[in-house]
Amino acid sequence: MINPSGYEKSGDNRPMGTVDADTIVAISTAQAPAGIGIVRLSGPEAFSLADRAFQAYSGRAFSPSDQRKLRYGHIVDGGSVLDEVLCVYMKAPHTYTAEDIVEVNCHGGRVSVQKVLSLFLRMGARMAEPGEFTRRAFLNGRIDLAQAEAVEDIIRAKTGLAQESAVHQLTGGVSKKINGLKEDLLHLLAHVEYAINFMEDAMEDLPREPMEEEARALINRMNQALSGAETGRLIREGIKTVIVGRPNVGKSSLLNALLEDDRAIVTDIPGTTRDAIEESFQVEGLRLRLIDTAGIRETDDLVESMGVDRSLALMEEADLVLVIVDGSQALQKEDREILEKIGSRLHLILVNKVDLALSSDAQDLIKGEGSSGPVLAISAMTGQGVAELETALSDLFFEGEDGREGADFLSNIRQIDLLEKSRDSLSSALRGLEIGVSLDALDVDLQDAYQDLAAITGESIEEDVLNKIFQDFCVGK
Ligand code: GDP
């Protein structure tokens, strides 16, 4: 049997003492027929629990030098063998949670892992809450909050691009930018704090002009980050897309043409609260989530299901609107109404049925007359122009390859909201500098701006916010 005595002091290396001292356990892999399934333990008792349950095939006792090596044996409950496993021991603090960890590689499927899990529960481990392993990694100071969020984003990524962006965030891409902003903000704050504490005629003693310049430069950087963030969010969450147009212009034909070109149609299974049933497909790494495909596919009452009012309502909800008109016909009142109402919403106008003789309205549209946005000539039936449409879609979100790199930045709403708030407080501080408000007012604005930045990486964060973030995680992560 294993001799865990070498690990008695493992908890001493923890960077912060804010984590519950209990040992948690969960099944960390999906429970479906598969080669292996992993049960993970983390906490001060991880080694001793595993030690009691694991019998090495060689009969050789576990020694500290075995850590991070897979050992072969059985998980045994009393006299009976629950499963044949490979077991790995990892000592704090250089582990996922920064605590002692044991991972038991069982056979996959539901039963083996559940038997092993329930044995550890009976032995005194506690069932991990959703995201608790990652939460511990955060509370123990191994990763910051933006990195913790990235873990969940990697798991839930539905496209290569979304996963790439999340991996970049996990390796600290976002944190580095935020920390850079924080440092510069501290520099501004230091002037104000110094004047408050050590100067006589406070406001006069501030180097106001250089400070205003610094503040403007910082606001610019924040704005740049925010515009990239919107693309980041769309990459991460998918782009809510609606196809609008009068009956019979070719909406469902276009949908089919797009789906045919990319067979990766996904109908999400509503396994968690985050996923709703919807259809989506990928274009150049972007995921287009189609709103109301039912409305498009319903054929019996098209006027009702895709009337102009309904189109306008759907446009409100969408990140991206594809407007289709029938190129073989003159524009009708409804077409014009939709084209007028589209306004500044992100959209593409598609003149369909270009395999037929085009109406003069359609020809004008294609020449760029009478519309505000990009117009493409397509035939949903022959597939003409569909490839160009896909390129145009990608160009809406990225300006060339460089644009894709910029999209590595912030991606979730929580982070974006905080950065916006921080920018607004800083703008208010800038106005204060310009008109000469009291030092205290300036101090409050700059402090607010700093606190919001700090909350992005979780440097200062309320317990209930933390709970909200981790409650969306999967169990075992
Ligand atoms: P929806 O009501 O807007 O979804 O329109 P549909 O996709 O059902 O198309 C209506 C009719 O137009 C069908 O008979 C299609 O075959 C036809 N159609 C759609 N796209 C094209 C096209 O590009 N060229 C031609 N010639 N016919 C098309």
Side-chain angles (χ1 to χ4, degrees), residues 351-356 377-388:
V351 177
N352 190 31
K353 309 196 188 181
V354 294
D355 53 302
L356 302 176
I378 61 161
S379 168
M381 199 169 76
T382 66
Q384 182 189 338
V386 173
E388 287 80 358

Side-chain angles (χ1 to χ4, degrees), residues 24 31 46 59 91 123 149 163 184 202 242 252 300 382 390 444:
I24 53 173
Q31 292 173 65
K91 185 167 157 38
M123 289 168 77
E149 285 176 317
Q163 187 261 9
D184 291 357
V242 66
S252 68
D300 36 0
T382 66
E390 292 181 350
V444 167

Side-chain angles (χ1 to χ4, degrees), residues 157-168:
K158 294 204 168 75
T159 66
L161 205 54
Q163 187 261 9
E164 249 170 59
S165 158
V167 169
H168 189 262

